[in-house]
Amino acid sequence: MSPDQTPAAGQPDGARPRVFSGIQPSGDLHLGTYLGALRQWVEAQHERDNVFCVVDLHAITVPEDVDPAGLRAKSREVAALYFAAGIDPDDNVVFVQSHVREHAELTWLLNCTTPLGWLYRMTQFKSKSEGRESVSTGLLDYPVLQASDILLYDTDLVPVGEDQVQHIELTRDIATRFNHLFGETFRLPKAVVPKSGARVMGFDDPETKMSKSIARERDRHAVHLLDPESKIKKTIMSAVTDSEREVRFEHASAGVKNLLGILNATTGETYEQLADRFDGKGYGDLKKAVLEAVLETLAPIQARYQELASDPAELDAILARGADRARERAARTLERAQRALGVGA
Ligand code: AQP
């Protein structure tokens, strides 16, 4: 496609639907990131034209939390975990966001066409800024950077957890407004929320989403993908359930629902099958079953990760190739947006 041709909004061009997805290297990846995102990517990877990004520019929106030396290493670790989880680097474009400058550049153009009020309404901004003395402009602008990530690749589908749906809706609004003001430029994407494993909650606090940042403060909050077996065991066996002695399915507490949801997502057993399996059993049995399923899920990922980590030069080469492929596509879209606005060489 030549730079000035715009793909029809929301219309796959007859080929595989285009997908963009990313994870922030803001901490250790956990079971929620795997079940809510990574595993879904792997399952559908060959049916779709995928761009998978390690979104490091998103991970610097809270400067107090940035560890510059650690961030670069964490970006590489997250990328290695994509491959360890099963992403094929030949059939998918995989790269680190800051290696492709077009992301930051399109963000500026979209900043200039996005009303500020839209950003203040984002629930993630409200929750992440709550109680902070100082909030960066980047934290507020985070969804515009996310819109750029998605729109640069003429994305059709964005697989996300439920918590991210509002941002994808905002991306559509940003693209629609730009197209309306400056002519058809961007394709409109849609969010896809996985049926199971959509929201994994903290083991120590099942009312709160399992999250990298909370896990930094609280040892029993999350199971990380690279945790040793002993740590996984401690976390799962101390998971919060309720004060009943037998597994209660009707009006189950948030903690029990979370454990059942993880079992459902890892073993494929339905809630009815799980109700039969744990009928009359105690929470210790339920936790042991979750532990077994989680260990089985993580063992092959950890083994592949160790192989990749033993050859850092090869990992860097794969990421450099991914960035080249991403840049080629992103540059075309950026040029379309620049032309529409009357800027650029
Ligand atoms: N607990 C979760 N359950 C289901 N899905 C989840 N995702 C994250 N946590 C869960 C999904 O993983 C993708 C990547 O998310 P991210 O790491 O870029 O951002 P996040 O949602 O902000 O993740 P965290 O762990 O909460 O990180 P911090 O604490 O750094 O903000 C997304 O599709 C997300 O829905």
Side-chain angles (χ1 to χ4, degrees):
M1 186 184 304
S2 72
D4 50 355
Q5 276 180 303
T6 308
Q11 296 291 315
D13 45 15
R16 299 182 295 176
R18 293 178 178 192
V19 173
F20 179 92
S21 223
I23 295 177
Q24 300 178 73
S26 49
D28 298 335
L29 298 200
H30 51 68
L31 198 60
T33 356
Y34 179 68
L35 296 176
L38 262 182
R39 192 184 65 169
Q40 320 285 332
W41 304 358
V42 172
E43 280 171 2
Q45 65 175 321
H46 299 299
E47 294 150 28
R48 296 167 173 179
D49 178 5
N50 297 297
V51 175
F52 294 128
C53 187
V54 177
V55 289
D56 58 345
L57 296 177
H58 285 275
I60 57 172
T61 52
V62 181
E64 299 86 329
D65 294 347
V66 177
D67 158 22
L71 181 57
R72 202 179 289 281
K74 191 56 75 182
S75 294
R76 299 173 80 261
E77 178 185 300
V78 171
L81 277 168
Y82 287 7
F83 303 128
I87 298 291
D88 175 353
D90 294 324
D91 200 25
N92 302 280
V93 176
V94 183
F95 68 104
V96 178
Q97 186 185 30
S98 62
H99 300 182
V100 178
R101 288 167 191 262
E102 283 75 2
H103 289 251
E105 209 170 332
L106 182 60
T107 301
W108 177 254
L109 303 188
L110 296 181
N111 277 340
C112 296
T113 59
T114 302
L116 197 51
W118 290 4
L119 303 182
Y120 281 119
R121 282 204 293 272
M122 294 297 107
T123 50
Q124 183 172 297
F125 173 70
K126 288 184 197 160
S127 64
K128 293 212 167 178
S129 57
E130 207 175 78
R132 286 187 181 275
E133 241 175 62
S134 154
V135 172
S136 75
T137 309
L139 189 68
L140 178 68
D141 202 32
Y142 179 112
V144 181
L145 176 60
Q146 192 173 6
S148 301
D149 300 339
I150 296 165
L151 298 175
L152 276 173
Y153 301 97
D154 296 325
T155 302
D156 299 301
L157 305 173
V158 191
V160 284
E162 279 163 14
D163 56 311
Q164 287 289 323
V165 170
Q166 193 187 30
H167 285 176
I168 311 310
E169 291 303 316
L170 181 76
T171 298
R172 291 174 63 89
D173 291 344
I174 290 173
T176 304
R177 182 175 164 85
F178 189 103
N179 288 349
H180 175 72
L181 291 174
F182 299 104
E184 282 296 308
T185 304
F186 298 117
R187 188 184 283 210
L188 299 193
K190 276 195 199 125
V192 199
V193 180
K195 280 189 237 36
S196 69
R199 200 167 160 86
V200 179
M201 311 306 279
F203 285 111
D204 63 341
D205 170 13
E207 304 287 347
T208 305
K209 187 190 85 146
M210 186 178 287
S211 146
K212 293 189 237 75
S213 44
I214 299 177
R216 274 202 298 272
E217 317 287 323
R218 302 204 311 242
D219 208 33
R220 300 286 160 85
H221 176 72
V223 162
H224 296 118
L225 303 187
L226 297 175
D227 274 348
E229 185 172 334
S230 58
K231 163 81 176 15
I232 298 175
K233 189 171 178 187
K234 270 191 205 140
T235 305
I236 293 180
M237 295 313 286
S238 63
V240 170
T241 48
D242 59 45
S243 52
E244 306 285 322
R245 286 180 37 194
E246 288 182 7
V247 180
R248 196 154 50 92
F249 289 94
E250 271 180 40
H251 312 296
S253 66
V256 174
K257 274 191 198 147
N258 192 35
L259 293 176
L260 292 170
I262 292 169
L263 263 187
N264 165 255
T266 47
T267 66
E269 283 171 284
T270 63
Y271 284 90
E272 290 71 33
Q273 287 166 329
L274 291 170
D276 282 348
R277 182 170 161 198
F278 290 100
D279 185 28
K281 301 231 168 86
Y283 288 133
D285 295 306
L286 176 62
K287 289 178 184 177
K288 273 189 210 143
V290 172
L291 174 64
E292 206 176 293
V294 168
L295 289 176
E296 210 167 292
T297 302
L298 298 188
I301 297 173
Q302 295 193 353
R304 279 196 296 268
Y305 176 83
Q306 293 311 333
E307 276 172 38
L308 287 156
S310 68
D311 192 350
E314 174 61 13
L315 180 61
D316 285 344
I318 295 173
L319 289 175
R321 279 200 298 277
D324 287 345
R325 289 168 71 192
R327 201 173 297 114
E328 211 181 292
R329 290 193 193 180
R332 286 202 295 263
T333 313
L334 178 66
E335 199 181 323
R336 274 202 320 262
Q338 287 175 323
R339 283 187 188 197
L341 281 167
V343 299

